[in-house]
Amino acid sequence: MVRLKKVAILQSNYIPWKGYFDIINMVDEFILYDDMQYTKRDWRNRNKIVTKDGLLWLSIPVDSKGKFFQKINETKVADATWADRHWKSIQYNYAKAKYFSEYSGRIRKVYEICKEKEFLSQINFCFIKEICSILGIETKITWSSDYHLVDGKTERLVELVREAKGDYYLSGPAAKDYIVDKLFEDAGITLEWMDYSGYPQYTQLGKTFEHGVSIIDLIFNEGPDAKKYMKSFEI
């Protein structure tokens, strides 16, 4: 029996939230879509962590002034001290988390490695790979630049899935605003939509529970039980 292949395509994010890793774990190949235009005030270079006083944004400073059409994979870091600052904030706010000591060494090592990285895409990739390793996610991760790109928003996605020999495409719900379903249907590709609703709450150090924070919050607080609070693992 031939096993059908499922593909997802998303832009790289900095220390993404749990839903991002659920999508990765639900597919056979995850394509980083960093040929797309870099967007300011988005998830490409920043994410949130929980503190006792509320949420804190951790943002990687990038060189984007006047570069309106640069791609994500062309975007460079503007200040190499970002890694030390981010790690200090994480250490300060998660030192009392139950599993911080167990996982902090692995996360800190990525920050040390990323001090030397020039491009935002490289940094995001390093964190995504390490977090996948912590969670036991073995999905193949590739880059859109590994494939031939065509014009058109939906057309490009369809062609990427086709070139990856995919039978199913799992999309984030935000893409409903522009995806033309019929183009997938005409290509013989089944289009599926990710559902981010219904996540259970877990132990969190803040006063008010927040789902939309970096997955490191879940890892430091729940450790090996983190998978129980995600959708893609059968526990």
Side-chain angles (χ1 to χ4, degrees), residues 10 13-27 30 47 107 124-139 141 170 194 196 199 213-216 218-219 230-233:
L10 287 177
N13 289 356
Y14 172 55
I15 51 173
W17 81 304
K18 59 196 173 190
Y20 191 98
F21 289 95
D22 267 332
I23 283 188
I24 297 177
N25 198 37
M26 288 176 172
V27 299
F30 181 76
N47 221 305
I107 299 298
N124 290 346
F125 178 73
C126 286
F127 280 102
I128 290 168
K129 286 289 288 183
E130 182 61 25
I131 293 168
C132 280
S133 176
I134 289 171
L135 295 171
I137 296 174
E138 298 179 347
T139 300
I141 299 178
L170 178 61
M194 180 64 185
Y196 289 134
Y199 276 108
V213 295
S214 170
I215 197 168
I216 64 171
L218 174 57
I219 290 171
M230 298 175 69
K231 293 190 169 190
S232 61
F233 293 94

Side-chain angles (χ1 to χ4, degrees), residues 30-202:
F30 181 76
I31 301 175
L32 288 167
Y33 201 22
D34 280 9
D35 287 283
M36 293 293 288
Q37 182 179 343
Y38 171 78
T39 48
K40 295 181 179 180
R41 294 179 293 280
D42 213 333
W43 301 102
R44 309 293 84 79
N45 70 316
R46 64 179 189 165
N47 221 305
K48 294 179 283 188
I49 63 170
V50 175
T51 78
K52 61 181 177 61
D53 299 316
L55 299 180
L56 174 67
W57 282 100
L58 297 180
S59 301
I60 300 175
V62 297
D63 183 11
S64 61
K65 188 176 181 180
K67 299 181 179 181
F68 303 109
F69 302 106
Q70 75 173 344
K71 299 175 182 178
I72 301 166
N73 58 16
E74 296 171 339
T75 303
K76 295 183 178 181
V77 175
D79 180 359
T81 66
W82 72 271
D84 286 332
R85 288 187 283 104
H86 285 202
W87 176 249
K88 286 178 182 177
S89 292
I90 290 169
Q91 188 175 32
Y92 177 79
N93 289 291
Y94 287 104
K96 294 181 180 179
K98 185 175 181 180
Y99 293 97
F100 180 76
S101 60
E102 186 171 339
Y103 293 93
S104 59
R106 295 183 67 170
I107 299 298
R108 182 174 185 177
K109 184 177 180 181
V110 184
Y111 277 101
E112 290 297 320
I113 291 171
C114 287
K115 285 181 183 180
E116 310 301 322
K117 301 294 184 184
E118 183 179 8
F119 290 93
L120 177 63
S121 283
Q122 296 171 337
I123 293 167
N124 290 346
F125 178 73
C126 286
F127 280 102
I128 290 168
K129 286 289 288 183
E130 182 61 25
I131 293 168
C132 280
S133 176
I134 289 171
L135 295 171
I137 296 174
E138 298 179 347
T139 300
K140 178 183 179 182
I141 299 178
T142 56
W143 299 87
S144 52
S145 55
D146 296 336
Y147 295 100
H148 172 67
L149 300 178
V150 300
D151 292 332
K153 282 188 175 182
T154 304
E155 290 85 350
R156 180 173 290 188
L157 296 175
V158 169
E159 180 62 16
L160 282 169
V161 177
R162 190 191 66 79
E163 287 191 42
K165 296 181 170 53
D167 304 287
Y168 291 83
Y169 176 57
L170 178 61
S171 175
K176 287 183 179 181
D177 293 338
Y178 67 84
I179 277 186
V180 180
D181 299 29
K182 191 174 186 305
L183 294 180
F184 281 95
E185 183 181 339
D186 291 345
I189 298 168
T190 301
L191 176 61
E192 297 181 350
W193 297 99
M194 180 64 185
D195 179 10
Y196 289 134
S197 65
Y199 276 108
Q201 293 188 9
Y202 57 88

